[in-house]
Structures are given as C-alpha cells and as structure tokens.
Amino acid sequence: MEANIAYYCLHKLHRWPHEFLSLDRYEKAVVIAAVELKLEKDKKEAQKARSKRKR
C-alpha cells in the first residue's frame, strides 16, 4: 500500500517517494486518506461522464 501511495506522490503530487516514506505515521495517514478521497472522487466523476455519453 505504501508503495502505491509513494508512486502516486511521485506522479501526481510531484514529490519524491522518500519524502512520503519519511513522514511519521500520522502524516502518512493524512496523505493516504487524501489520496483515497481523490481517487474516489475521480472514479465517481468518470462514472458520471460515462453515463452521460450513453444517453
């Protein structure tokens, strides 16, 4: 899981993975929660766009 979030940090947040990995566990938890919320929002928006295209 941490590796996936570190990868996301590199490609989407333009931060080095070691910056994420060096955070304490509470800071990591905040970053992980924010990334998960963002991914859920993106997923819902994609589903919404797909349903509009079908109409």
Side-chain angles (χ1 to χ4, degrees):
M1 174 83 165
E2 281 187 358
N4 291 338
I5 300 296
Y7 178 83
Y8 184 90
C9 288
L10 177 63
H11 289 282
K12 297 292 185 178
L13 305 177
H14 307 289
R15 297 285 178 228
W16 291 108
H18 71 82
E19 292 176 315
F20 169 73
L21 296 172
S22 68
L23 297 174
D24 70 32
R25 67 186 219 174
Y26 298 107
E27 292 172 323
K28 280 183 188 177
V30 169
V31 172
I32 290 169
V35 168
E36 287 177 347
L37 286 172
K38 172 76 168 113
L39 292 175
E40 275 297 313
K41 179 183 173 202
D42 291 350
K43 185 178 177 181
K44 286 179 183 179
E45 287 177 359
Q47 288 175 345
K48 194 181 220 182
R50 251 185 268 127
S51 70
K52 282 186 179 181
R53 277 189 255 138
K54 289 182 180 180
R55 291 180 189 179

